[in-house]
Amino acid sequence: MPDMGFDVLLKGKNFLRLLGGLGVALKISLMSVLISIILGTVLGILWHHNNLFIKAVMRSYLEVIRIMPQLVLLFIVYFGTTRSFGWNLSGETASVIVFSLWGTAEMSDLVRGALISISAHQYESAFALGLGKAQVYLYVILPQAIRRLIPLSINLVTRMIKTTSLVLMIGVVEIIKVAQQIIEANRMSSKNAAFGVYLTVFVMYFLACWPISLLARKLEKRWR
Amino acid sequence: MSQVILEISHLHKVFDTVTVIEDLSLTVHEGEVVVIIGPSGCGKSTLLRCINALETIQGGEIKLHGNTVSKNSKDLHEIRQKIGMVFQNYELFPHMTVLDNVMLAPVKAQGRKKSEVREEALALLKRVGLESKADSYPRQLSGGQKQRTAIVRALCMHPEILLFDEVTAALDPQMVREVLEVILDLANAGKTMLVVTHEMQFARAVADRIVFFDDGQIIEQAAPDEFFDHPKTDKAKQFLNTFTFERDRSTTNRA
């Protein structure tokens, strides 16, 4: 059997450290996802209203965020704004800000799309029943929109989790960074550590994202 | 004559540059069934939509029990609760069961007690033969069942007037009857109704008054027998002729 380099994981606290790194990645993603879903929903609803000003602002926001690589955004927020505005941001905070900016933009677009896909007649029949505007959204439109949103937003969430691997570039010690450290530290004793460690990282990412996909499939089935 | 429920005076409705309804006045009394007929695209549906302010109007006034219906009025949703509307395409809420569809507005908009509404909803569903479908979802129903549910949904709000907008137009022929029978039953129960339909025999049976509508204006109105047997205006005569012709052709095609 070839040397796959799994042995390093058994040395000292290496495996636990790797798990800790995964924890950091998940913490950043979950906070960003939470913020993105809330803000994205609110902005998506606002966007859906036919206010030209809001439309223009949202359109530019989305385009800017989409065009810019997440890495550039991270650098701007972490290195750029801290220098220019003189505030102090930890790598993790900067990461959450960037991922929330990105997630909110994408989420609001998804919400807007889901709202548009619901026919005008649904609004009309709800209004015709004498429901107030908030009630129409709360009981009729949003429940339907959310059902349509599930597959799309799950896709976004898993994308966000995966993309947190970029935050090692601003010095956040997350799972990939920990993996690198372990491999570097064992360069002499275990030459093939890269394979085993990164494979473990892969499995960990998979285990983190898979339940989310499962949940989404379950919800989709229940609501069909 | 009994109390006036709905009073439309000098209604004017324009889409962009096209005048759809021009200086229309119409009064509906309590317990009266008024059936509006006329060629497609003459503004019948638009008229109904104006009545509960789904359309803005450019002139005139619509009053329900003396209260002005306007898209800008603050208590619009309260006025709308008194106007029951049934649409051509049912427009049930697909994510709710039949019972929840019926109960939503009475509980949330009118703030009535859930247990009381539930009892009434079930009784109404039973009345239209849908008691076994209370827990079904709209996608599990036939067109006729959906439309009967939509009627119950409107009824459960205790509206002062019911508006029916070509409610059988999207139905298979064999389902038309089950829906029309429900409406006939409501007419017998003394409900005030404004019905837009293309079913001439039904119009004749259910109506207290026929309003013939063309080019955004009321051309003629009369008791049903009088209108169908002795239409006064050329337009009405023409329309009734055309209709028979169209109907014959469509039956042949179907066979």
Side-chain angles (χ1 to χ4, degrees):
Chain A
M1 180 157 162
D3 177 12
M4 307 273 265
F6 284 113
D7 54 317
V8 284
L9 291 168
L10 303 172
K11 282 186 198 159
K13 290 183 175 165
N14 280 352
F15 189 72
L16 284 178
R17 281 181 61 208
L18 211 50
L19 271 182
L22 180 68
V24 173
L26 287 183
K27 194 172 108 194
I28 292 173
S29 347
L30 289 185
M31 282 174 70
S32 314
V33 163
L34 213 67
I35 295 172
S36 302
I37 286 178
I38 295 169
L39 288 183
T41 305
V42 173
L43 288 182
I45 292 172
L46 284 179
W47 194 354
H48 181 56
H49 278 269
N50 286 324
N51 182 315
L52 285 180
F53 175 71
I54 294 177
K55 265 187 179 170
V57 171
M58 289 302 298
R59 179 51 63 194
S60 344
Y61 169 44
L62 183 68
E63 290 304 329
V64 167
I65 297 283
R66 269 204 184 143
I67 288 165
M68 199 163 346
Q70 276 86 34
L71 191 56
V72 178
L73 263 179
L74 276 172
F75 285 168
I76 290 179
V77 172
Y78 187 64
F79 299 119
T81 67
T82 43
R83 274 287 162 88
S84 303
F85 303 109
W87 56 45
N88 212 349
L89 281 181
S90 72
E92 285 190 24
T93 314
S95 308
V96 171
I97 292 174
V98 167
F99 281 95
S100 301
L101 276 174
W102 171 42
T104 302
E106 297 277 0
M107 188 69 194
S108 63
D109 194 33
L110 296 181
V111 169
R112 185 189 62 112
L115 289 175
I116 287 177
S117 75
I118 290 165
S119 84
H121 299 297
Q122 283 285 306
Y123 291 87
E124 286 181 349
S125 70
F127 278 124
L129 281 167
L131 292 163
K133 205 164 189 171
Q135 291 175 324
V136 171
Y137 272 99
L138 192 60
Y139 301 118
V140 179
I141 304 304
L142 285 181
Q144 294 185 57
I146 288 170
R147 284 162 169 75
R148 289 175 203 194
L149 264 178
I150 289 291
L152 302 167
S153 48
I154 290 301
N155 182 16
L156 175 64
V157 169
T158 47
R159 255 164 67 215
M160 284 172 76
I161 293 177
K162 287 184 294 190
T163 315
T164 51
S165 55
L166 288 178
V167 304
L168 73 97
M169 300 298 286
I170 58 169
V172 178
V173 184
E174 45 68 80
I175 180 165
I176 307 271
K177 188 73 199 172
V178 175
Q180 284 180 351
Q181 288 171 349
I182 294 174
I183 295 164
E184 288 294 318
N186 295 283
R187 175 156 301 243
M188 292 304 160
S189 57
S190 171
K191 291 195 172 61
N192 290 331
F195 186 78
V197 172
Y198 283 132
L199 194 66
T200 311
V201 168
F202 161 79
V203 171
M204 283 178 169
Y205 268 120
F206 177 78
L207 288 179
C209 293
W210 191 43
I212 302 176
S213 302
L214 281 184
L215 178 73
R217 206 175 312 158
K218 206 172 154 190
L219 285 178
E220 264 185 86
K221 252 190 200 150
R222 169 131 61 101
W223 286 339
R224 189 151 299 276
Chain B
M1 198 104 177
S2 57
Q3 213 181 353
V4 172
I5 294 270
L6 179 74
E7 191 176 6
I8 303 171
S9 40
H10 308 293
L11 175 67
H12 210 73
K13 169 72 194 170
V14 181
F15 278 125
D16 294 326
T17 54
V18 186
T19 303
V20 188
I21 296 172
E22 204 178 349
D23 193 29
L24 178 140
S25 298
L26 179 70
T27 306
V28 180
H29 295 264
E30 190 176 355
E32 196 179 17
V33 180
V34 176
V35 175
I36 303 174
I37 60 176
S40 299
C42 69
K44 307 180 299 274
S45 293
T46 308
L47 173 63
L48 289 195
R49 293 165 55 80
C50 287
I51 292 173
N52 66 2
L54 287 175
E55 301 285 350
T56 51
I57 59 175
Q58 279 69 45
E61 200 175 27
I62 298 168
K63 280 184 167 181
L64 183 80
H65 249 137
N67 300 316
T68 305
V69 186
S70 139
K71 204 148 187 164
N72 308 318
S73 59
K74 271 228 147 101
D75 51 353
L76 177 61
H77 63 281
E78 279 170 39
I79 296 175
R80 278 173 167 162
Q81 288 167 19
K82 297 174 192 158
I83 305 171
M85 182 149 182
V86 184
F87 298 84
Q88 179 178 333
N89 291 312
Y90 340 119
E91 295 307 332
L92 298 176
F93 306 132
H95 60 296
M96 293 181 186
T97 62
V98 165
L99 187 61
D100 288 340
N101 261 281
V102 176
M103 287 175 62
L104 176 70
V107 172
K108 300 300 178 187
Q110 291 180 319
R112 280 152 59 191
K113 258 175 68 185
K114 223 171 173 174
S115 54
E116 166 223 312
V117 173
R118 189 189 171 82
E119 210 168 292
E120 184 182 354
L122 287 172
L124 285 171
L125 286 173
K126 189 169 181 178
R127 181 164 158 195
V128 301
L130 287 177
E131 69 269 38
S132 63
K133 298 289 182 190
D135 294 321
S136 303
Y137 283 89
R139 61 174 183 277
Q140 299 164 317
L141 304 182
S142 70
Q145 291 169 332
K146 281 184 201 167
Q147 197 56 291
R148 281 182 283 157
T149 305
I151 293 173
V152 167
R153 185 172 69 172
L155 272 181
C156 205
M157 295 291 287
H158 305 153
E160 292 177 13
I161 185 167
L162 282 161
L163 312 177
F164 292 93
D165 187 7
E166 298 187 24
V167 291
T168 57
L171 292 176
D172 290 339
Q174 67 268 29
M175 296 185 174
V176 169
R177 194 175 181 92
E178 64 186 50
V179 171
L180 294 184
E181 268 170 2
V182 170
I183 302 177
L184 269 174
D185 179 46
L186 293 175
N188 289 335
K191 298 273 186 225
T192 313
M193 301 195 275
L194 197 51
V195 183
V196 168
T197 185
H198 287 293
E199 305 282 338
M200 291 304 133
Q201 281 180 313
F202 169 69
R204 188 169 186 154
V206 80
D208 293 317
R209 174 159 46 120
I210 298 280
V211 170
F212 177 62
F213 202 68
D214 196 5
D215 289 332
Q217 285 170 317
I218 294 177
I219 306 292
E220 187 172 339
Q221 48 182 322
D225 287 343
E226 195 186 324
F227 175 80
F228 284 108
D229 295 338
H230 312 286
K232 286 193 192 69
T233 56
D234 285 341
K235 272 188 173 174
K237 283 177 198 164
Q238 237 171 30
F239 172 72
L240 288 173
N241 282 336
T242 321
F243 191 81
T244 337
F245 172 68
E246 277 185 354
R247 219 167 120 153
D248 281 350
R249 192 175 55 177
S250 66
T251 358
T252 327
N253 274 349
R254 229 181 271 141

